[in-house]
Amino acid sequence: MGKKLTAADGSKPLFLQVYDYVITHIERGEWKAHDKLPSIRILAQQFEINRLTVFRAYQLLKQEGKTYVKEKSGYYVGSGNSVAAFQVHKHSQDIAVSSSLKNEMNEIQQLPVLYQFSQALIDPNLLPNLYLSDYVKKVFDIYPKLMGTYSTPQGDEELREVLCRYMIGDLRVQLNVQELLIASGAQQAIDLISRTFVRPMDYVLIERPTYSAAIDIFRQQGARFLPVDINPGGYDLEIVERMMKEYKPRVFYMNPTFHNPTGYTVPPLQRKQLVELAEKYRCLLIEDDAFHDMYFEGPPPQPLFTYDTEGWVVYIRSFSKYVAPGLRICTVIGRRSIIEPLIIAKSLADNGTPLVTQKIFLHYFESERMRKHVGKLRTALQLRRDIMEGELADSGWSWVSPKGGLNLWIKLPNELSAEALLSESIRQSVSFVPGRICDPLGEMNSWIRLSYSFVKEGQLRDGVKRLMDISQQLMKSRC
């Protein structure tokens, strides 16, 4: 028997993960009709699992007509299994959709509620909207043919040059313009990296808890999760090294600065040690740094990327969230061995982030107004954090006050269920993120994420008070 899988490998039963692995290869045209499939023994060895698990997956494929068996020869791809044939399910006339395709965070955020604490976005009233409108006009004067052309897949060279100079000054690293790629937001960057470097059934180290969309992206890719607990002091590096040594994970997705959802920040020494472990065990570190400039008491530690000399860190630096979220500008930074395949993936995804938004961002980013705006925004966000914490002071709930970012990560009393609280809160027009969807194990039912950045100060007070009233009602009903 191979290595026994646990819940850490994702919510799907293992035989269904093997099933998805086979289906993925057929859908991509890598295994065509009448091609012989890998033997049960080979797949079991490849994934270090029991042969009966592979047999169960192959039997399901056979029952659905996707494979057939030749006596004493093995399993083969069915004759009707062209790429087109897979678009329609055997038992339905509906278009088939991958069973792992989901985005629970988006479903919650789209609910029409009065008090929106699920959105880790900046209140539009805190953004320089009028100033940006004037800037748009100037950009079209500078580039009158802007709407008539595409950007390159790698991103506008002028923008990459400006961001490269900024990063060299900010991070004090050696960098050139060819080591930057412009993505349409951090979420697209994570998706591009996942599709480029993660294969079905690969092990992926991922924080627990973490950014829920990243969980969905890696799960869609067929990854098997190895959760790493994050706490106010960072990670247990002995556990991280043991997992790297034993499982040989392809990547470690992390959000080490004003972490989403917890707000924790990994200390500098651990950052250096993590890069050393990545080099030793050949594990790509995906460093997601969406809130780098949203600090309250002082700048955060230097990114892991600054310690990387061998090309084992890909650095995702998002800017537009606190300038103009609608522009969707994110920079992916890495050595050429990382960036070059990502350029190909980007060209297949959308052939390049819109040039219009890149040019608008470029000229605003270089302005003095940008520097002033970021400073004022830090003050406004710290005030809203303080307001939320003040309203929660007598709740009996617990959290670690973040020194930056947009969220509070809150532990509820044991007798209060996050799911029950969410259900009743939505009914009373309050939304938040349940901890379960930030957990690669799908647990953490006593935790919630409250974002203090999106609603106005008055709404913030009223919304938290309503949430407290709802929680008290639920607690009393259980007595």
Side-chain angles (χ1 to χ4, degrees):
M1 180 178 289
K3 294 177 183 175
K4 187 175 181 180
L5 296 174
T6 68
D9 301 299
S11 59
K12 273 191 177 183
L14 183 56
F15 82 94
L16 288 180
Q17 295 182 47
V18 177
Y19 172 96
D20 286 346
Y21 172 80
V22 175
I23 292 295
T24 297
H25 278 275
I26 297 173
E27 286 180 335
R28 290 175 176 173
E30 295 169 6
W31 294 340
K32 298 179 172 53
H34 305 299
D35 281 354
K36 186 175 180 180
L37 295 171
S39 70
I40 291 174
R41 178 182 58 81
I42 288 174
L43 275 190
Q45 289 176 344
Q46 179 179 337
F47 300 131
E48 299 177 315
I49 55 179
N50 195 306
R51 293 186 188 185
L52 290 176
T53 303
V54 181
F55 176 73
R56 188 177 177 189
Y58 273 8
Q59 283 295 99
L60 179 59
L61 288 162
K62 178 185 173 185
Q63 291 168 15
E64 294 186 349
K66 294 179 172 66
T67 65
Y68 63 94
V69 178
K70 287 185 180 180
E71 190 175 353
K72 297 182 180 180
S73 179
Y75 288 84
Y76 290 78
V77 179
S79 59
N81 290 328
S82 64
V83 173
F86 265 89
Q87 303 309 307
V88 181
H89 193 275
K90 177 184 177 185
H91 303 298
S92 172
Q93 294 305 309
D94 296 332
I95 301 297
V97 177
S98 169
S99 58
S100 59
L101 186 63
K102 63 180 179 178
N103 187 338
E104 290 189 72
M105 177 79 81
N106 183 66
E107 292 173 8
I108 293 172
Q109 291 174 343
Q110 295 306 311
L111 294 171
V113 297
L114 181 60
Y115 303 106
Q116 177 60 269
F117 298 140
S118 65
Q119 291 267 26
L121 292 175
I122 306 294
D123 175 5
N125 295 291
L126 296 178
L127 299 175
N129 301 302
L130 292 177
Y131 188 77
L132 271 173
S133 296
D134 292 337
Y135 238 90
V136 171
K137 298 171 187 176
K138 293 179 183 179
V139 167
F140 278 96
D141 288 338
I142 298 170
Y143 308 100
K145 299 179 181 179
L146 189 58
M147 295 291 286
T149 186
Y150 290 137
S151 167
T152 65
Q154 188 169 0
D156 177 54
E157 185 169 4
E158 186 180 14
L159 175 57
R160 286 188 287 117
E161 288 174 349
V162 166
L163 291 176
C164 184
R165 288 196 299 270
Y166 173 79
M167 289 296 176
I168 290 171
D170 186 46
L171 305 182
R172 300 188 295 277
V173 294
Q174 290 187 338
L175 197 64
N176 67 66
V177 72
Q178 297 304 320
E179 294 174 318
L180 279 75
L181 176 144
I182 306 300
S184 299
Q187 193 162 315
Q188 186 192 52
I190 298 167
D191 184 61
L192 292 174
I193 294 167
S194 172
R195 289 192 283 114
T196 302
F197 297 106
V198 178
R199 302 166 302 194
M201 301 297 286
D202 278 343
Y203 283 108
V204 167
L205 286 168
I206 191 165
E207 295 160 325
R208 182 176 190 244
T210 192
Y211 176 43
S212 70
I215 295 174
D216 293 335
I217 287 169
F218 287 112
R219 180 170 286 134
Q220 172 67 17
Q221 194 60 29
R224 292 189 281 176
F225 292 142
L226 298 169
V228 176
D229 290 340
I230 183 168
N231 56 64
Y235 317 108
D236 185 328
L237 293 189
E238 289 186 4
I239 292 176
V240 172
E241 180 168 16
R242 186 164 67 246
M243 287 182 170
M244 285 186 175
K245 183 177 181 180
E246 182 175 357
Y247 293 98
K248 305 294 189 296
R250 296 278 285 179
V251 303
F252 183 176
Y253 170 76
M254 59 179 63
N255 180 205
T257 303
F258 310 133
H259 176 266
N260 181 6
T262 66
Y264 305 154
T265 294
V266 175
L269 179 58
Q270 280 203 6
R271 295 172 182 236
K272 183 176 185 295
Q273 292 171 331
L274 280 163
V275 174
E276 292 170 352
L277 289 176
E279 293 174 357
K280 181 177 180 179
Y281 295 104
R282 304 181 66 81
C283 175
L284 179 65
L285 303 181
I286 305 172
E287 182 178 12
D288 186 359
D289 199 0
F291 306 125
H292 185 89
D293 293 308
M294 294 297 97
Y295 54 84
F296 304 145
E297 301 174 12
Q302 288 291 87
L304 281 80
F305 180 74
T306 61
Y307 299 101
D308 180 34
T309 58
E310 302 296 327
W312 288 101
V313 180
V314 55
Y315 181 52
I316 303 172
R317 181 74 171 267
S318 182
F319 294 97
S320 58
K321 185 180 287 289
Y322 52 86
V323 177
L327 293 181
R328 306 294 291 156
I329 298 296
C330 172
T331 308
V332 183
I333 303 174
R335 301 311 173 194
R336 294 290 292 274
S337 59
I338 299 294
I339 295 299
E340 288 179 357
L342 287 177
I343 294 171
I344 298 172
K346 175 68 171 168
S347 70
L348 294 172
D350 60 12
N351 210 29
T353 297
L355 188 58
V356 173
T357 58
Q358 293 185 69
K359 291 296 190 185
I360 292 171
F361 176 80
L362 162 67
H363 286 273
Y364 181 61
F365 184 76
E366 290 191 292
S367 70
E368 181 61 27
R369 179 63 180 266
M370 166 74 168
R371 310 294 182 266
K372 293 179 180 177
H373 160 68
V374 172
K376 291 178 179 178
L377 184 57
R378 291 189 193 112
T379 301
L381 290 174
Q382 184 172 2
L383 176 60
R384 294 186 184 205
R385 179 205 64 180
D386 293 345
I387 290 172
M388 178 172 276
E389 290 185 330
E391 295 295 334
L392 291 169
D394 298 326
S395 65
W397 299 2
S398 59
W399 65 92
V400 175
S401 184
K403 296 181 180 180
L406 311 180
N407 309 300
L408 292 187
W409 179 243
I410 296 173
K411 176 69 167 63
L412 301 176
N414 292 333
E415 58 270 28
L416 183 59
S417 160
E419 293 298 329
L421 180 61
L422 179 62
S423 178
E424 182 60 23
S425 295
I426 289 173
R427 194 181 71 80
Q428 297 192 39
S429 206
V430 181
S431 72
F432 59 83
V433 175
R436 174 184 57 79
I437 70 172
C438 300
D439 181 3
L441 301 184
E443 299 172 358
M444 291 193 150
N445 294 314
S446 295
W447 294 84
I448 66 172
R449 190 194 80 177
L450 293 181
S451 299
Y452 48 78
S453 58
F454 191 67
V455 298
K456 298 177 183 178
E457 292 173 18
Q459 273 189 308
L460 187 58
R461 290 188 175 92
D462 294 343
V464 175
K465 287 176 181 175
R466 181 176 293 193
L467 183 62
M468 291 296 94
D469 289 341
I470 295 168
S471 69
Q472 290 301 317
Q473 293 165 15
L474 289 173
M475 298 275 280
K476 288 178 181 178
S477 70
R478 282 167 166 73
C479 292

